[in-house]
Amino acid sequence: MCKMIHTVGNMVKIPPEEEVSRHVSSGNIIFVGKMSYDPNIVAVTFFVNEIFPVLRKAYPGLNFTIIGANPAEQVRRLGDVDGVNVTGFVESIVPYFLDATIVVAPMLTGAGIQNKIIQAMSHGCCVATTPVGAEGLTIANNEIAIYDSTSQWIAGLKSLLDDREARIVMGGRARQYVIDHLSPQIISRQFRDFIKSGGIG
């Protein structure tokens, strides 16, 4: 006997309008995540070594901030690179989202929906990631940028850095995606449908 399959997604609290990025800053790229987690270490190391130096040559005032608790020694050493800042634990991520030009998640390893990505999307940030980072999301309307190679990353980020309007539009689509697919109301409804179907027991 076949049973109906129900999907219950990750739930994201929708921030109020005052916590939505206005895309005022033009030179702040950020990464958010637990910085003792190996996929995050691999991601920021790749970004600092392969992408950021090329971008900073084109945009001398560009900064890359790595935000997250318990940064591994390898991550702390990245802070020695010009323009790279490693914060460690922060009390609130909201000010960083508000000031971010682009939120990057250049994930090369790991699996499943990345909470750091959908959280940034909920704040209306312009988000760029890899196919690995976008796993579990149905991106069909350019809600986030997805890059699959170093050359794509460099060209894509240059395009976004040069176009504030594109960042605003992408951020708005990202926030709407979360509202439509991952908000508490949507996830609660999915869970209620699961219960009604007799999915527990």
Side-chain angles (χ1 to χ4, degrees):
M1 177 180 176
C2 293
K3 288 190 174 182
M4 185 179 296
I5 296 174
H6 288 263
T7 300
V8 179
N10 290 38
M11 186 172 70
V12 183
K13 181 180 178 182
I14 306 301
E17 285 295 326
E18 59 268 23
E19 294 182 3
V20 174
S21 175
R22 297 291 179 253
H23 300 275
V24 174
S25 299
S26 60
N28 295 323
I29 297 176
I30 72 169
F31 177 96
V32 179
K34 184 180 179 182
M35 294 318 305
S36 58
Y37 178 53
D38 189 64
N40 289 343
I41 297 171
V42 171
V44 295
T45 301
F46 162 69
F47 190 83
V48 171
N49 289 340
E50 303 296 331
I51 300 169
F52 186 67
V54 180
L55 294 178
R56 199 156 199 265
K57 188 173 182 179
Y59 306 90
L62 191 65
N63 293 301
F64 178 48
T65 302
I66 301 168
I67 305 154
N70 304 317
E73 176 60 28
Q74 183 178 347
V75 175
R76 291 197 296 270
R77 287 198 300 267
L78 295 176
D80 295 333
V81 176
D82 286 346
V84 177
N85 178 42
V86 180
T87 68
F89 172 79
V90 296
E91 290 292 339
S92 174
I93 192 61
V94 174
Y96 292 92
F97 281 147
L98 291 177
D99 199 43
T101 309
I102 303 170
V103 179
V104 297
M107 310 307 296
L108 303 179
T109 59
I113 290 180
Q114 302 287 325
N115 286 326
K116 57 177 144 292
I117 292 176
I118 57 179
Q119 186 182 15
M121 291 171 69
S122 74
H123 285 270
C125 295
C126 176
V127 178
T129 188
T130 61
V132 172
E135 284 181 0
L137 301 176
T138 307
I139 302 302
N141 194 34
N142 201 36
E143 294 93 344
I144 61 176
I146 302 173
Y147 304 133
D148 200 18
S149 68
T150 299
S151 60
Q152 285 183 11
W153 269 100
I154 292 169
L157 291 182
K158 282 183 175 180
S159 179
L160 289 173
L161 288 168
D162 288 337
D163 192 343
R164 177 174 178 256
E165 185 60 33
R167 299 195 303 268
I168 292 172
V169 170
M170 187 175 287
R173 289 173 175 169
R175 179 171 165 85
Q176 193 60 50
Y177 178 96
V178 173
I179 291 171
D180 291 343
H181 298 280
L182 301 171
S183 64
Q185 293 86 348
I186 297 298
I187 301 305
S188 295
R189 187 178 68 200
Q190 291 175 351
F191 191 72
R192 284 197 301 271
D193 290 345
F194 171 65
I195 297 297
K196 288 178 181 177
S197 74
I200 294 180

